[in-house]
Amino acid sequence: MVQESLTNARRHAPGALVAVRVAMEGGRLQVDVRNSRPATPPPATPVGGRGGFGMVGLKERVTAVDGTMEAGGTPAGT
């Protein structure tokens, strides 16, 4: 999850600052990855080209181990 999240931030928010938090809460692993706004506008074609399954594949993998996942912007717009 962390690797895919960092890859997505690199591809879609170039130059953004990224914070990763990993903790055990209630016997479950919790991963929180947040990035700031991109330092530069994202390129028309993401870094590394296209391909892979991105967020869809990540959600499938999380669900396969009985996990949940949320993705999207924050109230601050990041």
Side-chain angles (χ1 to χ4, degrees), residues 10-60:
R10 179 176 173 260
R11 292 182 80 199
H12 302 289
L17 298 176
V18 181
V20 177
R21 179 181 166 271
V22 179
M24 289 295 294
E25 293 188 11
R28 294 183 65 104
L29 180 65
Q30 181 174 0
V31 177
D32 184 53
V33 181
R34 296 174 186 248
N35 61 272
S36 66
R37 293 182 183 267
T40 60
T45 302
V47 174
R50 301 195 77 58
F53 297 100
M55 298 303 285
V56 172
L58 184 56
K59 185 161 184 126
E60 287 176 355

Side-chain angles (χ1 to χ4, degrees), residues 46-74:
V47 174
R50 301 195 77 58
F53 297 100
M55 298 303 285
V56 172
L58 184 56
K59 185 161 184 126
E60 287 176 355
R61 291 188 299 265
V62 169
T63 301
V65 294
D66 196 30
T68 59
M69 184 182 111
E70 295 177 30
T74 66

